[in-house]
Amino acid sequence: MGATLRNEDQSMLQDIQDYWSKRAKSYSEEVLYQIEHENERRWMEVLQTYLKGIPGKKVLDIGTGPGFFAIGLAKRGYQMTAVDYTQKMLEEAKKNAQNLADQITFLQMDAQNLDFPDASFDAIVTRNLTWNLESPGDAYREWHRVLKKGGVLLNFDAGWYNYLFDDEKALSFEEDRKRVKNAKIKDFEAYSESSKMEEISRKLILSRCKRPQTDIEMLRRAGFKLIYTDEQIGDQVWSETEKVNFASRPMFMLRGVK
C-alpha cells in the first residue's frame, strides 16, 4: 500500500476535504446536468475509444466526485469501483447513480494511498483530480501499482490554477472572464468558495508546473509505458459554454499503459 503521509500533508488533505465537502451539493448539480445532457455522450465516446484493448472490464474511477465517469461507464457494462476522499461527494454520487448505485462500489479513499491489492484493475479513469493533489507523483505510482499488466490509465486534467504563478496566464484568465460576461453565459469561476480554492491551490505542486509535461515525467518515473497525450481533448468533450470559460486553460488527456 502507499506510504504514510506526513503531518503537513495530512493537514492539506483535511483542507481539501473540507472544501469539497462544502461544495459537494453545488458541484453535484453541475455534474448531474452533464449526466443528463449531451456532455455525457461525448465523454463516454472518448472513454470507450481509449479503453479499447484493456485486459477486462474492471475499472477504477479515482476522485469520482458526483460520479460522472462511474455512472456513465456502468451504464455501458463496465464493472465500476469509484473512490473519493470526501464522503459527501460519495453520497451525491450514489444519489446521481439512481438505479445503478448497487452496481457501483463506492469507497472513501485517498487517491495517493489506495487500499487495494496490486494488479486489481484493468483500467483507471480520473477527471479534474491531479491538480488537486499534494503529492501527484505518489498518486501516479499508486495508480500504476493497482493496475494489471497491460492496464490503462486515462487522466483528464488542466493547469487550472497556473494563472496564480504566471502573469501571462493571469491576463488570459481575466480575458476569459470578460468573454464570459460579454457572451452572457454562466461563469464557472463565480462561486462563493473560489477564493478559498485559490488559497489552497497556491500550496499545491501542480499549480506551479508546466502541464502536461510535468505529468508525463511523473508517469514515466511511476513506470508507465506508451504514454500518449492529447492537449486538445476539450474540443471533443466540452460544451460551448465550457470552451468559453476555460479558453486559456485547455484540458489535456494522458493515456499510459502498465
Side-chain angles (χ1 to χ4, degrees), residues 27-37 66 96 98:
Y27 189 59
S28 181
E29 289 171 356
E30 294 177 17
V31 170
L32 186 59
Y33 178 87
Q34 294 180 19
I35 290 172
E36 295 174 345
H37 291 79
N96 292 337
Q98 299 180 26

Side-chain angles (χ1 to χ4, degrees), residues 182-243:
N182 291 337
K184 297 181 180 180
I185 58 177
K186 179 177 180 179
D187 188 342
F188 292 126
E189 298 300 327
Y191 58 95
S192 58
E193 301 91 352
S194 60
S195 59
K196 179 61 177 178
M197 191 69 256
E198 286 189 343
E199 177 187 333
I200 293 172
S201 297
R202 289 183 186 279
K203 304 173 186 177
L204 296 171
I205 293 170
L206 291 178
S207 295
R208 299 177 174 86
C209 296
K210 189 173 183 180
R211 307 189 67 194
Q213 291 82 353
T214 298
D215 299 77
I216 292 169
E217 288 305 312
M218 288 181 175
L219 286 170
R220 286 173 178 157
R221 289 197 293 270
F224 283 94
K225 312 293 183 185
L226 302 175
I227 299 168
Y228 168 78
T229 182
D230 183 341
E231 296 186 54
Q232 284 81 44
I233 198 69
D235 293 342
Q236 295 183 50
V237 297
W238 275 347
S239 67
E240 293 307 311
T241 300
E242 287 172 315
K243 289 175 184 177

Side-chain angles (χ1 to χ4, degrees), residues 136-153:
D138 291 342
Y140 283 132
R141 284 189 288 273
E142 272 290 270
W143 302 354
H144 184 271
R145 179 184 66 78
V146 302
L147 277 174
K148 297 176 183 178
K149 186 176 180 180
V152 169
L153 165 68

Side-chain angles (χ1 to χ4, degrees), residues 63 83-86 90 107-116:
V83 302
D84 200 279
Y85 195 69
T86 305
L90 291 172
L107 299 169
Q108 187 175 12
M109 202 173 293
D110 177 10
Q112 301 151 121
N113 193 26
L114 297 173
D115 190 22
F116 297 114

